C-alpha cells in the first residue's frame, strides 16, 4: 500500500512538473518493489553520461529491485496507448547519450540503493565452483563481479580495461581488452542471459533456448532487450602478473610483433594480454613508464629515432601462480627474444592480478583529484582492417593528429575467429583487425588543440580520411544520427537486425538514445 501511494504521488508530480504525455493509469498499474524517483539528483544523473557532450532529461528514474520491476515498467510502456521510451543505464559510461531518453523513463540498473530498498535489492553475484560460472545482475559492475569470483579463486576470462562498467552495458556492445585475442570479447564468454524484451517479456536465452534473442542481445546496443542476468564463464584466477612495456620506432615492426603474439592464442607459451598505444608527443613518453618507475631522466622522442616523430608502445602481460613463479623469467625472456623492439626500452613490474585488472581506476582517482575526470570525452573507437592499418598510421597518427594529444591512443589487434558472427556486432571482414581507440579529453585550458570543438572536428577529419582512402573502418561503440548511416554500419546484417527489432521491440521502445529506430511515440526534442 505504501509503495502504491508513493507511486501515485510521483505520477502526480510528473503531471505537474514535466507535463506527462502518457496516461497516468499506465503507471498506476505498476507493482514494483523498487523506487520510481523524480528527485532532481536522480533525474540529473540520468540526463548525462561520461561523454559530457549531450543531455536529455527523462521524466523519471526507476531504481529496480528485481527483473520483475524492469519487466513491469517495460510492459507498461509497450501496452500504453500513448507510449514512452525506456533506457537502461548502467554506470553511465556511454559517450554520445546512448543511455538517455526524453519523454520516457530511465531504469538505473547500477547502484540500486540497497539501504533504501532493503530486501528488494537485486541479487548479488552467485558463483558455481563446479560449473565454473557466475550469475550476475545486469547492472552489476565488473569490479564487483571480480571481487565476488576471487573469493573462490576464479575470475572471468575476458575484460574491459576499465572495470567500473556494468555487465549489461558491456555485453550490449562487446566488451574488449587485451585478452580478446585469446578468449574473444566478453560476449563470447556468456553462457546464458535473462532478458526483458520490448514487449515486457522476461525470457531466459542461450545458444539452445530462445537462441535468436540471445544472438540479437549480445552486441545489440540495447535494441532488443534489457539484460537482467548474465551467466559468465570463469577460469582459475592467477595470483600475479608480469606487466611489460617496450617501445618501437618503426610501425611495421610494431604491428608485425603484435600480430605474431596474437597468433599464439590457445598455446601455453604466449602472453596473456596484448595491447599497445601510440605516443605522439614528448609529454606522454615519460608517462608511458610512470606505472613502473618514476622517470628521473626524461626521454626524448627524437633520441629514439622515432618514425615520423611517433613512438609505439607494446604492452603485454604474463599471468602466473606461486607454482610457476620460478619459471616466469625464462618464459618471458623466450617470448621477448622473438620481438623487434628498441633495445634497452624494456620496463617491467610485477603486481597482484586484481591490481593489474583495476589499473585504470588508479588513473581515474588521480584525474578526479585534479578535476580532470568530469570533462567532455569526444572518444572515437574504430575497428581497422589489418590490410589498411599502415595506411591509417600514415594518414592519422603521422598526419591528422600532429604532435599533440589529450589522452591515450590505443591500438591492438584481435582475431576474428574469436568473435561469434551470429551476434549483432559488426567487425571487419578480415582474419585480423585492429582496435584504434582515441580516448581523449576536452580541456578548457586555453589550448585550442585540446578544446571540444577541435577534437570533434579532428574526429570528423579522421572518418573523412578513411572514407576518402577507402579504409573500411567500423565504429566500435558506434554513434550515428541517421538510419541511413546505421544501415551502412550494419551492412549485410541490417536486414536481420531490423527484423529482430520488429520481433522483440515492435514499438521501438528500448534504447531510443542510440537513434537507430524512431519510437512510436511523440518525444520532446532532446538537447542534442
Amino acid at each position: 500500500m505504501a509503495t502504491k501511494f508513493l507511486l501515485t504521488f510521483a505520477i502526480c508530480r510528473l503531471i505537474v512538473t514535466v507535463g506527462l504525455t502518457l496516461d497516468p493509469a499506465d503507471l498506476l498499474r505498476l507493482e514494483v518493489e523498487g523506487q520510481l524517483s523524480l528527485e532532481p539528483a536522480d533525474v540529473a544523473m540520468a540526463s548525462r553520461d561520461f561523454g559530457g557532450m549531450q543531455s536529455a532529461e527523462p521524466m523519471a528514474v526507476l531504481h529496480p529491485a528485481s527483473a520483475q520491476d524492469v519487466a513491469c515498467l517495460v510492459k507498461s510502456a509497450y501496452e500504453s496507448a500513448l507510449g514512452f521510451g525506456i533506457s537502461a543505464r548502467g554506470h553511465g559510461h556511454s559517450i554520445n547519450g546512448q543511455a538517455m531518453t526524453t519523454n520516457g523513463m530511465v531504469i538505473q540498473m547500477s547502484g540500486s540503493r540497497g539501504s533504501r530498498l532493503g530486501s528488494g535489492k537485486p541479487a548479488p553475484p552467485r558463483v558455481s565452483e563446479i560449473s565454473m560460472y557466475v550469475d550476475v545482475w545486469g547492472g552489476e559492475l565488473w569490479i564487483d563481479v571480480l571481487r565476488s569470483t576471487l573469493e573462490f579463486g576464479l575470475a572471468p576470462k575476458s575484460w574491459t580495461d576499465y572495470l567500473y562498467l556494468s555487465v549489461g552495458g558491456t555485453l550490449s556492445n562487446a566488451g574488449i581488452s587485451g585478452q580478446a585475442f585469446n578468449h574473444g570479447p566478453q560476449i563470447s564468454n556468456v553462457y546464458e542471459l535473462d532478458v526483458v524484451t520490448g514487449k515486457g517479456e522476461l525470457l531466459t536465452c542461450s545458444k539452445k533456448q530462445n537462441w535468436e534473442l540471445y544472438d540479437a542481445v549480445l552486441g545489440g546496443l540495447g535494441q532488443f532487450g534489457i539484460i537482467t542476468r548474465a551467466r559468465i564463464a570463469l577460469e582459475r584466477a592467477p595470483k600475479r602478473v608480469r606487466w611489460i612495456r617496450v617501445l618501437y620506432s618503426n610501425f611495421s615492426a610494431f604491428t608485425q610483433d603484435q600480430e605474431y603474439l596474437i597468433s599464439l592464442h590457445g598455446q601455453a607459451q604466449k602472453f596473456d594480454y596484448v595491447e599497445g598505444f601510440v605516443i605522439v608527443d614528448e609529454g606522454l613518453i615519460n608517462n608511458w613508464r610512470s606505472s613502473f618507475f618514476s622517470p628521473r631522466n626524461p626521454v626524448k622522442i627524437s633520441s629514439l629515432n622515432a618514425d615520423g616523430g611517433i613512438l609505439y608502445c607494446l604492452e603485454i602481460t604474463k599471468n602466473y601462480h606461486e607454482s610457476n613463479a620460478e619459471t616466469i623469467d625464462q618464459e618471458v625472456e623466450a617470448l621477448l627474444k622473438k620481438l623487434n623492439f628498441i633495445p634497452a626500452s624494456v620496463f617491467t613490474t610485477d603486481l597482484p592480478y586484481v591490481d593489474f585488472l583495476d589499473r585504470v581506476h588508479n588513473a581515474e582517482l588521480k584525474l578526479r583529484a585534479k578535476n580532470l575526470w568530469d570533462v567532455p570525452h569526444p572518444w572515437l573507437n574504430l575497428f581497422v582492417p589489418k590490410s589498411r592499418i599502415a595506411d591509417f598510421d600514415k594518414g592519422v597518427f603521422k598526419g591528422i593528429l600532429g604532435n599533440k594529444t589529450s589522452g591515450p591512443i590505443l591500438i591492438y589487434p584481435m582475431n576474428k575467429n574469436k568473435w561469434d558472427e551470429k551476434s549483432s556486432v559488426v567487425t571487419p571482414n578480415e582474419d585480423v583487425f585492429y582496435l584504434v581507440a582515441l580516448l581523449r579529453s576536452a580541456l578548457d585550458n586555453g589550448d585550442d588543440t585540446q578544446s571540444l570543438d577541435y577534437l570533434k572536428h579532428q574526429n570528423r577529419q579522421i572518418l573523412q580520411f578513411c572514407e576518402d582512402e577507402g579504409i573500411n573502418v567500423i565504429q566500435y561503440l558506434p554513434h550515428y544520427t541517421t538510419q541511413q548511416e546505421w544501415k551502412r554500419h550494419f551492412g549485410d546484417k541490417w536486414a536481420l537486425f531490423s527484423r529482430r527489432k520488429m520481433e522483440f521491440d515492435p514499438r521501438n521502445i528500448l534504447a531510443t538514445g542510440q537513434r537507430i529506430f524512431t519510437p512510436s511515440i511523440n518525444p520532446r526534442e532532446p538537447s542534442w
Side-chain angles (χ1 to χ4, degrees), residues 41-169:
D42 285 339
V43 172
M45 178 175 289
S47 303
R48 59 181 183 267
D49 63 13
F50 183 70
M53 297 179 287
Q54 303 184 14
S55 176
E57 187 171 297
M59 293 186 298
V61 179
L62 174 66
H63 297 271
S66 65
Q68 285 70 31
D69 280 1
V70 177
C72 186
L73 181 59
V74 176
K75 188 175 180 64
S76 179
Y78 175 65
E79 294 180 345
S80 170
L82 296 175
F84 56 97
I86 301 288
S87 285
R89 184 180 189 274
H91 196 54
H93 209 73
S94 57
I95 301 301
N96 291 286
Q98 289 94 331
M100 299 178 193
T101 186
T102 56
N103 198 46
M105 306 287 183
V106 166
I107 301 178
Q108 184 60 54
M109 297 291 290
S110 299
S112 292
R113 291 167 291 183
S115 60
R116 297 174 66 173
L117 298 178
S119 61
K121 183 180 179 182
R126 183 176 65 84
V127 175
S128 172
E129 288 186 85
I130 296 175
S131 300
M132 300 281 282
Y133 66 71
V134 57
D135 281 320
V136 297
W137 168 249
E140 200 76 49
L141 300 186
W142 283 101
I143 181 64
D144 295 319
V145 176
L146 176 62
R147 289 167 178 161
S148 297
T149 59
L150 283 177
E151 292 180 10
F152 300 86
L154 302 172
K157 299 176 181 180
S158 189
W159 294 97
T160 54
D161 287 333
Y162 182 56
L163 301 188
Y164 288 76
L165 304 174
S166 70
V167 169

Side-chain angles (χ1 to χ4, degrees), residues 157 178-184 235 259-274 318 335 415 417-418:
K157 299 176 181 180
Q179 304 90 0
F181 81 93
N182 193 44
H183 295 294
E235 65 179 357
E259 290 164 20
Y260 164 71
L261 291 175
I262 72 165
S263 75
L264 303 177
H265 66 91
Q267 299 184 26
Q269 298 302 315
K270 69 177 187 311
F271 285 113
D272 296 291
Y273 162 100
V274 177
K318 184 69 176 174
L335 287 166
N415 294 306
N417 63 6
K418 296 295 184 177

Side-chain angles (χ1 to χ4, degrees), residues 386-426:
K386 168 188 167 181
S387 64
R388 302 302 304 275
I389 194 66
D391 298 320
F392 190 95
D393 168 64
K394 183 177 179 181
V396 177
F397 300 149
K398 296 186 177 76
I400 294 172
L401 292 183
N403 63 354
K404 294 195 72 174
T405 187
S406 59
I409 302 171
L410 304 183
I411 173 173
Y412 58 91
M414 289 172 280
N415 294 306
K416 188 177 179 71
N417 63 6
K418 296 295 184 177
W419 294 66
D420 188 344
E421 286 298 293
K422 293 181 180 180
S423 77
S424 292
V425 177
V426 183

